[in-house]
Amino acid sequence: MSLTSPLPSASLSPRRRYAIVGVGSRHELYQDGIEKTHADSAELVALCDLNPGRIELARRRSVRNGAPVPSGYLANDFQRMLREQRPDVVIVTTSDSTHHEFLIGAMEAGCDVVTEKPMTTDAEKCRQILDVRRRTGRDCRVTFNYRYSPPRSQVKELLMSGEIGDVLSVDFHWLLNTHHGADYFRRWHAQKKNSGGLFVHKSTHHFDLVNWWLGASPVAVLASGKREFYTPEMARRMGLSGPHERCLTCPERDRCGFHLDLAASPGLKSLYLDNEVHDGYLRDRCVFRSEIDIEDTINALVTYDSGATLSYSLNTFNAWEGYTIAFNGTKGRIEHSLVESVYVNGTETIQGGVAENGVRIRVIPLRGAGYDLEPWRAEGDHGGGDRLMLDDIFRRDPLPDKYRRAADERAGAGSILVGVAANRSLQTGAKVLISDLVPDLPRPDFAPMPDRRTAVPMPRRGA
Ligand SMILES: NC(=O)c1ccc[n+]([C@@H]2O[C@H](COP(=O)([O-])OP(=O)(O)OC[C@H]3O[C@@H](n4cnc5c(N)ncnc54)[C@H](O)[C@@H]3O)[C@@H](O)[C@H]2O)c1
């Protein structure tokens, strides 16, 4: 199949030239960001993937976007793509354990890079990325979209303002419901060699948020974890005869509450089902199959260089989706919770019983009455966070950002290494030092936090 004809090719222009490698579901955000919202400053010149069907689908997306059609390259031709198309920036949206190949190859070739989270999946690849970034001097951006969600920026504002003084400990609990949570057990995420497990693949978002919120670097991690829900035994407890290969051919599809009908969803069908023939990538594998090797329930205790401690959990089979977090400071406590209403199906109510729109931010001083804050909002996906992040990536003149939400390889490393340390802790049962994984990890440029030496007023009696 020709990946460069018969569609017209992209023309040269002074705009920044982008290539995207990995044209699955997540790449669509970036393709549309370039071709629709930021076409004045960016152009998409090339697409690269293992799967020729998905490349062709992405090229047709350019036609729909009314944009020049990028040239397509198979993954083996990545270097040829760089030589022929001379992108300024390569965006990496492949599966997690392959990011390093393209980040390193692109930076060595003189390109800047933008990568989806997690930056990579183990300590060795992380060290390689940091070394090549340092040696080449190229920009490496890690797209932590969660930072851009307005309520999370609002919490950052509160912490920066010193409202609760110095944060001494954090309690953070993230829940995935059985629609979204199950999805990590259907495909490549379900093997640690591909994703690093949920401590890396998913928790990288959460560990990054804490690093960024606190303006602190992680020092040590002690973890526990298990898989007890997405198992063959659970399939039997739910009345099935056991796990099967995949939903499409499942003999018990009508009785299984986890059935995913790829054929019924035009998006899933065109992206995955129609392209299985090229690479055998099955998007709807049974969530109860035995060869899954990632945990579905994880816990970690993390210490930070600020002295703060984090108590963290992730659960993937919950009744509602979202999180609760509390920051315990020298002057009070912030409680914040958020229900991801996008994953709440078929009911007018928001599961979890929290405030309007599922967002709650409450400040409770050590003495005196607590108060709720009106949550910040913005228009668009992920509470408006995606639009803000794309602006930050693609605008020639990004707006000033007092929260420093744009993240680079230092933040990318700081978040995944908590998960990598947690994985090692799961194996050994011992606490793992981040410095044993990557010595001299460079510290990100965090936004200034309150000076920890500031005196703390004695709480008023009886108030
Ligand atoms: N920030 C977020 O909220 C968010 C959300 C979803 C996914 N992601 C991340 O985006 C990335 C892509 O996830 P997705 O859901 O689109 O996955 P996907 O499976 O839908 O797409 C991955 C694409 O990469 C291609 N690919 C895999 N290995 C390759 C290789 N060696 N060379 C070239 N192409 C290769 C696959 O063929 C596929 O087209 C992952 O790193 C994931 O963690 C981030």
Side-chain angles (χ1 to χ4, degrees), residues 21-27 48-51 54 75 93-96 98-99 101-102 116-118 143 145-146 187-189 201 205 271-272 279 281 382:
V21 51
V23 293
S25 142
R26 186 62 181 169
H27 103 278
C48 179
D49 201 288
L50 286 171
N51 189 306
R54 273 194 287 279
T93 47
T94 55
S95 47
D96 304 344
T98 65
H99 289 177
E101 295 171 31
F102 303 105
E116 258 303 340
K117 53 50 61 175
T143 54
N145 52 332
Y146 281 30
R187 45 182 176 146
W188 53 265
H189 312 73
H201 173 80
H205 276 305
L271 198 52
Y272 303 106
D279 59 8
Y281 173 177
H382 291 122

Short mmCIF file of all heavy atoms in Angstrom, two decimals, residues 21-27 48-51 54 75 93-96 98-99 101-102 116-118 143 145-146 187-189 201 205 271-272 279 281 382, ligand 1:
data_model
loop_
_atom_site.label_atom_id
_atom_site.label_comp_id
_atom_site.label_asym_id
_atom_site.label_seq_id
_atom_site.Cartn_x
_atom_site.Cartn_y
_atom_site.Cartn_z
N VAL A 21 4.52 10.25 15.63
CA VAL A 21 4.77 8.81 15.55
C VAL A 21 3.86 8.11 16.57
O VAL A 21 3.85 8.47 17.75
CB VAL A 21 6.26 8.47 15.73
CG1 VAL A 21 6.86 9.09 16.97
CG2 VAL A 21 6.48 6.97 15.76
N GLY A 22 3.08 7.14 16.05
CA GLY A 22 2.05 6.47 16.86
C GLY A 22 0.72 7.14 16.62
O GLY A 22 0.39 8.13 17.28
N VAL A 23 -0.06 6.63 15.65
CA VAL A 23 -1.29 7.33 15.26
C VAL A 23 -2.53 6.56 15.73
O VAL A 23 -3.46 6.33 14.97
CB VAL A 23 -1.32 7.65 13.75
CG1 VAL A 23 -0.27 8.67 13.42
CG2 VAL A 23 -1.14 6.39 12.90
N GLY A 24 -2.53 6.18 17.00
CA GLY A 24 -3.70 5.56 17.61
C GLY A 24 -4.64 6.62 18.14
O GLY A 24 -4.68 7.76 17.64
N SER A 25 -5.36 6.26 19.16
CA SER A 25 -6.41 7.14 19.67
C SER A 25 -5.87 8.49 20.18
O SER A 25 -6.40 9.55 19.86
CB SER A 25 -7.14 6.36 20.76
OG SER A 25 -7.50 7.14 21.80
N ARG A 26 -4.79 8.47 20.96
CA ARG A 26 -4.34 9.71 21.60
C ARG A 26 -3.78 10.72 20.60
O ARG A 26 -3.84 11.93 20.84
CB ARG A 26 -3.28 9.37 22.64
CG ARG A 26 -2.83 10.54 23.49
CD ARG A 26 -3.98 11.12 24.28
NE ARG A 26 -3.58 12.26 25.09
CZ ARG A 26 -4.44 13.06 25.70
NH1 ARG A 26 -5.73 12.84 25.61
NH2 ARG A 26 -4.00 14.06 26.42
N HIS A 27 -3.22 10.25 19.50
CA HIS A 27 -2.58 11.17 18.56
C HIS A 27 -3.59 12.18 17.99
O HIS A 27 -3.22 13.26 17.55
CB HIS A 27 -1.91 10.40 17.42
CG HIS A 27 -2.69 10.44 16.15
ND1 HIS A 27 -3.76 9.61 15.88
CD2 HIS A 27 -2.60 11.28 15.07
CE1 HIS A 27 -4.28 9.92 14.71
NE2 HIS A 27 -3.60 10.91 14.18
N CYS A 48 3.81 8.45 11.35
CA CYS A 48 4.58 7.21 11.38
C CYS A 48 3.91 6.23 12.33
O CYS A 48 3.44 6.63 13.40
CB CYS A 48 5.99 7.54 11.85
SG CYS A 48 7.10 6.12 11.99
N ASP A 49 3.86 4.97 11.96
CA ASP A 49 3.24 3.95 12.82
C ASP A 49 3.68 2.58 12.33
O ASP A 49 4.17 2.43 11.20
CB ASP A 49 1.71 4.07 12.77
CG ASP A 49 1.01 3.43 13.96
OD1 ASP A 49 0.98 2.18 14.03
OD2 ASP A 49 0.50 4.17 14.82
N LEU A 50 3.49 1.57 13.16
CA LEU A 50 3.70 0.18 12.74
C LEU A 50 2.61 -0.26 11.78
O LEU A 50 2.81 -1.17 10.97
CB LEU A 50 3.62 -0.75 13.96
CG LEU A 50 4.76 -0.80 14.95
CD1 LEU A 50 4.34 -1.61 16.18
CD2 LEU A 50 5.98 -1.42 14.30
N ASN A 51 1.44 0.37 11.90
CA ASN A 51 0.24 -0.13 11.23
C ASN A 51 -0.14 0.76 10.05
O ASN A 51 -0.57 1.91 10.23
CB ASN A 51 -0.90 -0.18 12.25
CG ASN A 51 -2.12 -0.88 11.72
OD1 ASN A 51 -2.63 -0.51 10.66
ND2 ASN A 51 -2.59 -1.88 12.42
N ARG A 54 -3.74 2.34 10.07
CA ARG A 54 -3.97 3.52 10.92
C ARG A 54 -3.30 4.77 10.34
O ARG A 54 -3.79 5.88 10.51
CB ARG A 54 -3.51 3.25 12.36
CG ARG A 54 -4.60 2.58 13.20
CD ARG A 54 -4.29 2.62 14.68
NE ARG A 54 -3.24 1.70 15.05
CZ ARG A 54 -3.42 0.40 15.26
NH1 ARG A 54 -4.60 -0.14 15.13
NH2 ARG A 54 -2.40 -0.37 15.59
N ALA A 75 7.11 2.29 10.77
CA ALA A 75 8.04 2.54 11.88
C ALA A 75 9.50 2.27 11.49
O ALA A 75 10.40 2.99 11.93
CB ALA A 75 7.65 1.69 13.08
N THR A 93 3.44 9.42 20.36
CA THR A 93 2.21 8.89 20.95
C THR A 93 2.08 7.39 20.67
O THR A 93 1.00 6.89 20.37
CB THR A 93 0.96 9.65 20.44
OG1 THR A 93 1.06 9.77 19.02
CG2 THR A 93 0.84 11.03 21.03
N THR A 94 3.20 6.71 20.72
CA THR A 94 3.18 5.24 20.60
C THR A 94 2.88 4.64 21.97
O THR A 94 2.75 5.36 22.96
CB THR A 94 4.56 4.74 20.12
OG1 THR A 94 5.55 5.25 21.02
CG2 THR A 94 4.86 5.21 18.72
N SER A 95 2.85 3.30 22.05
CA SER A 95 2.68 2.67 23.36
C SER A 95 3.91 2.97 24.22
O SER A 95 5.02 3.18 23.72
CB SER A 95 2.45 1.17 23.20
OG SER A 95 3.38 0.63 22.30
N ASP A 96 3.70 2.96 25.54
CA ASP A 96 4.64 3.57 26.48
C ASP A 96 6.09 3.08 26.37
O ASP A 96 7.03 3.88 26.39
CB ASP A 96 4.18 3.31 27.92
CG ASP A 96 2.76 3.79 28.18
OD1 ASP A 96 2.24 4.59 27.38
OD2 ASP A 96 2.17 3.37 29.20
N THR A 98 7.83 2.08 24.09
CA THR A 98 8.57 2.39 22.86
C THR A 98 8.90 3.88 22.73
O THR A 98 9.60 4.27 21.79
CB THR A 98 7.77 1.96 21.60
OG1 THR A 98 6.58 2.75 21.52
CG2 THR A 98 7.37 0.50 21.67
N HIS A 99 8.43 4.71 23.65
CA HIS A 99 8.65 6.16 23.52
C HIS A 99 10.14 6.49 23.37
O HIS A 99 10.52 7.35 22.56
CB HIS A 99 8.12 6.89 24.76
CG HIS A 99 6.63 6.92 24.87
ND1 HIS A 99 5.97 7.47 25.94
CD2 HIS A 99 5.66 6.45 24.06
CE1 HIS A 99 4.65 7.36 25.78
NE2 HIS A 99 4.44 6.72 24.64
N GLU A 101 12.67 5.05 22.08
CA GLU A 101 13.31 4.87 20.76
C GLU A 101 13.16 6.12 19.91
O GLU A 101 14.09 6.57 19.26
CB GLU A 101 12.62 3.73 19.97
CG GLU A 101 12.75 2.37 20.56
CD GLU A 101 11.84 1.39 19.82
OE1 GLU A 101 11.61 1.58 18.60
OE2 GLU A 101 11.36 0.43 20.47
N PHE A 102 11.95 6.67 19.91
CA PHE A 102 11.65 7.79 19.03
C PHE A 102 12.12 9.12 19.63
O PHE A 102 12.56 10.01 18.89
CB PHE A 102 10.15 7.80 18.71
CG PHE A 102 9.71 6.50 18.10
CD1 PHE A 102 9.00 5.56 18.83
CD2 PHE A 102 10.09 6.18 16.80
CE1 PHE A 102 8.64 4.35 18.28
CE2 PHE A 102 9.74 4.97 16.24
CZ PHE A 102 9.01 4.04 16.98
N GLU A 116 3.93 11.93 24.96
CA GLU A 116 2.85 11.62 25.89
C GLU A 116 3.45 11.00 27.14
O GLU A 116 4.57 10.50 27.15
CB GLU A 116 1.86 10.63 25.23
CG GLU A 116 0.61 11.30 24.73
CD GLU A 116 -0.15 12.07 25.83
OE1 GLU A 116 0.05 11.80 27.03
OE2 GLU A 116 -0.96 12.93 25.48
N LYS A 117 2.71 11.08 28.21
CA LYS A 117 3.07 10.38 29.44
C LYS A 117 2.85 8.89 29.24
O LYS A 117 2.02 8.53 28.41
CB LYS A 117 2.30 10.89 30.64
CG LYS A 117 0.77 10.95 30.53
CD LYS A 117 -0.07 9.79 30.07
CE LYS A 117 -0.05 8.52 30.86
NZ LYS A 117 -1.04 7.49 30.35
N PRO A 118 3.46 8.01 29.97
CA PRO A 118 4.65 8.25 30.76
C PRO A 118 5.84 8.44 29.82
O PRO A 118 5.87 7.84 28.74
CB PRO A 118 4.81 6.94 31.54
CG PRO A 118 4.22 5.89 30.63
CD PRO A 118 3.08 6.57 29.92
N THR A 143 3.78 15.87 28.10
CA THR A 143 2.46 16.52 28.11
C THR A 143 1.60 16.04 29.27
O THR A 143 0.77 15.16 29.12
CB THR A 143 1.74 16.27 26.77
OG1 THR A 143 1.69 14.87 26.54
CG2 THR A 143 2.46 16.95 25.64
N ASN A 145 -1.25 16.71 30.80
CA ASN A 145 -2.49 17.47 30.63
C ASN A 145 -3.24 17.67 31.94
O ASN A 145 -3.98 18.65 32.10
CB ASN A 145 -3.40 16.81 29.59
CG ASN A 145 -3.65 15.34 29.85
OD1 ASN A 145 -2.84 14.65 30.45
ND2 ASN A 145 -4.79 14.83 29.40
N TYR A 146 -3.04 16.75 32.93
CA TYR A 146 -3.79 16.88 34.18
C TYR A 146 -3.47 18.20 34.89
O TYR A 146 -4.29 18.73 35.62
CB TYR A 146 -3.48 15.72 35.13
CG TYR A 146 -4.17 14.42 34.82
CD1 TYR A 146 -4.53 14.07 33.52
CD2 TYR A 146 -4.48 13.52 35.83
CE1 TYR A 146 -5.15 12.87 33.26
CE2 TYR A 146 -5.10 12.31 35.56
CZ TYR A 146 -5.43 11.98 34.28
OH TYR A 146 -6.05 10.78 34.01
N ARG A 187 -5.74 -4.60 26.63
CA ARG A 187 -4.77 -4.56 25.52
C ARG A 187 -3.36 -4.39 26.06
O ARG A 187 -3.06 -4.87 27.13
CB ARG A 187 -5.16 -3.47 24.53
CG ARG A 187 -5.55 -2.16 25.20
CD ARG A 187 -5.99 -1.13 24.20
NE ARG A 187 -6.44 0.07 24.87
CZ ARG A 187 -6.29 1.29 24.42
NH1 ARG A 187 -5.68 1.48 23.26
NH2 ARG A 187 -6.73 2.33 25.08
N TRP A 188 -2.48 -3.64 25.34
CA TRP A 188 -1.06 -3.65 25.66
C TRP A 188 -0.75 -3.19 27.08
O TRP A 188 0.23 -3.64 27.68
CB TRP A 188 -0.26 -2.81 24.65
CG TRP A 188 -0.71 -1.40 24.41
CD1 TRP A 188 -1.52 -0.95 23.42
CD2 TRP A 188 -0.34 -0.22 25.16
NE1 TRP A 188 -1.70 0.41 23.50
CE2 TRP A 188 -0.98 0.89 24.55
CE3 TRP A 188 0.45 0.01 26.27
CZ2 TRP A 188 -0.84 2.20 25.03
CZ3 TRP A 188 0.60 1.30 26.75
CH2 TRP A 188 -0.05 2.38 26.13
N HIS A 189 -1.60 -2.33 27.67
CA HIS A 189 -1.36 -1.86 29.03
C HIS A 189 -1.27 -3.00 30.03
O HIS A 189 -0.65 -2.85 31.08
CB HIS A 189 -2.51 -0.96 29.49
CG HIS A 189 -2.92 0.10 28.51
ND1 HIS A 189 -3.61 -0.18 27.36
CD2 HIS A 189 -2.75 1.44 28.53
CE1 HIS A 189 -3.84 0.93 26.71
NE2 HIS A 189 -3.33 1.93 27.38
N HIS A 201 2.16 3.61 34.10
CA HIS A 201 1.28 4.09 33.02
C HIS A 201 0.25 5.10 33.52
O HIS A 201 0.08 6.17 32.91
CB HIS A 201 0.55 2.92 32.37
CG HIS A 201 -0.48 3.37 31.39
ND1 HIS A 201 -0.15 3.77 30.11
CD2 HIS A 201 -1.81 3.58 31.52
CE1 HIS A 201 -1.25 4.18 29.50
NE2 HIS A 201 -2.26 4.08 30.32
N HIS A 205 0.60 10.31 36.02
CA HIS A 205 -0.21 11.53 36.10
C HIS A 205 -0.29 12.01 37.54
O HIS A 205 -0.14 13.19 37.84
CB HIS A 205 -1.66 11.23 35.69
CG HIS A 205 -1.94 11.24 34.23
ND1 HIS A 205 -1.65 12.31 33.41
CD2 HIS A 205 -2.55 10.33 33.44
CE1 HIS A 205 -2.06 12.04 32.19
NE2 HIS A 205 -2.59 10.85 32.17
N LEU A 271 -10.49 2.44 13.92
CA LEU A 271 -9.12 2.57 14.42
C LEU A 271 -8.48 1.20 14.67
O LEU A 271 -7.32 0.98 14.33
CB LEU A 271 -9.13 3.39 15.71
CG LEU A 271 -7.82 4.00 16.21
CD1 LEU A 271 -7.14 4.82 15.14
CD2 LEU A 271 -8.10 4.86 17.45
N TYR A 272 -9.26 0.29 15.26
CA TYR A 272 -8.66 -0.97 15.72
C TYR A 272 -9.16 -2.20 14.94
O TYR A 272 -8.37 -2.91 14.32
CB TYR A 272 -8.93 -1.16 17.21
CG TYR A 272 -8.40 -0.02 18.06
CD1 TYR A 272 -9.27 0.92 18.62
CD2 TYR A 272 -7.03 0.14 18.29
CE1 TYR A 272 -8.79 1.96 19.40
CE2 TYR A 272 -6.54 1.18 19.06
CZ TYR A 272 -7.43 2.09 19.62
OH TYR A 272 -6.95 3.13 20.37
N ASP A 279 -1.56 -6.04 12.08
CA ASP A 279 -0.62 -6.25 13.19
C ASP A 279 -1.13 -7.16 14.31
O ASP A 279 -0.42 -7.39 15.29
CB ASP A 279 -0.19 -4.90 13.79
CG ASP A 279 -1.37 -4.09 14.32
OD1 ASP A 279 -2.50 -4.63 14.36
OD2 ASP A 279 -1.17 -2.92 14.69
N TYR A 281 -3.27 -6.55 16.57
CA TYR A 281 -3.54 -5.80 17.81
C TYR A 281 -5.03 -5.94 18.11
O TYR A 281 -5.87 -5.37 17.42
CB TYR A 281 -3.14 -4.34 17.57
CG TYR A 281 -3.47 -3.31 18.65
CD1 TYR A 281 -3.04 -1.99 18.47
CD2 TYR A 281 -4.17 -3.59 19.82
CE1 TYR A 281 -3.30 -1.00 19.41
CE2 TYR A 281 -4.44 -2.61 20.77
CZ TYR A 281 -4.02 -1.32 20.55
OH TYR A 281 -4.29 -0.36 21.48
N HIS A 382 -11.63 17.70 29.20
CA HIS A 382 -10.87 17.67 30.45
C HIS A 382 -10.97 19.01 31.18
O HIS A 382 -9.96 19.58 31.59
CB HIS A 382 -9.40 17.29 30.21
CG HIS A 382 -9.23 15.87 29.78
ND1 HIS A 382 -8.63 15.51 28.60
CD2 HIS A 382 -9.61 14.72 30.36
CE1 HIS A 382 -8.65 14.19 28.48
NE2 HIS A 382 -9.24 13.69 29.53
N1 LIG B 1 -2.39 12.10 28.68
C1 LIG B 1 -3.42 11.30 28.61
O1 LIG B 1 -4.44 11.55 29.27
C2 LIG B 1 -3.36 10.07 27.73
C3 LIG B 1 -4.54 9.43 27.36
C4 LIG B 1 -4.45 8.30 26.54
C5 LIG B 1 -3.20 7.83 26.14
N2 LIG B 1 -2.07 8.46 26.54
C6 LIG B 1 -0.75 7.97 26.11
O2 LIG B 1 -0.67 8.12 24.70
C7 LIG B 1 0.08 7.04 24.14
C8 LIG B 1 -0.76 6.33 23.08
O3 LIG B 1 -1.89 5.77 23.70
P1 LIG B 1 -3.18 5.35 22.82
O4 LIG B 1 -4.29 5.19 23.77
O5 LIG B 1 -3.31 6.25 21.65
O6 LIG B 1 -2.73 3.90 22.32
P2 LIG B 1 -3.15 3.19 20.96
O7 LIG B 1 -2.83 1.76 21.14
O8 LIG B 1 -4.51 3.59 20.57
O9 LIG B 1 -2.15 3.83 19.90
C9 LIG B 1 -0.77 3.57 19.89
C10 LIG B 1 -0.29 3.63 18.45
O10 LIG B 1 1.13 3.46 18.45
C11 LIG B 1 1.46 2.52 17.44
N3 LIG B 1 2.72 1.88 17.82
C12 LIG B 1 2.95 1.04 18.86
N4 LIG B 1 4.25 0.69 18.90
C13 LIG B 1 4.86 1.33 17.86
C14 LIG B 1 6.19 1.39 17.38
N5 LIG B 1 7.18 0.67 17.94
N6 LIG B 1 6.44 2.16 16.31
C15 LIG B 1 5.45 2.90 15.72
N7 LIG B 1 4.17 2.86 16.13
C16 LIG B 1 3.88 2.10 17.19
C17 LIG B 1 0.29 1.56 17.39
O11 LIG B 1 0.23 0.88 16.15
C18 LIG B 1 -0.88 2.51 17.59
O12 LIG B 1 -1.32 3.05 16.37
C19 LIG B 1 0.49 6.16 25.31
O13 LIG B 1 1.78 6.48 25.72
C20 LIG B 1 -0.50 6.52 26.38
O14 LIG B 1 0.02 6.31 27.68
C21 LIG B 1 -2.14 9.59 27.31
#
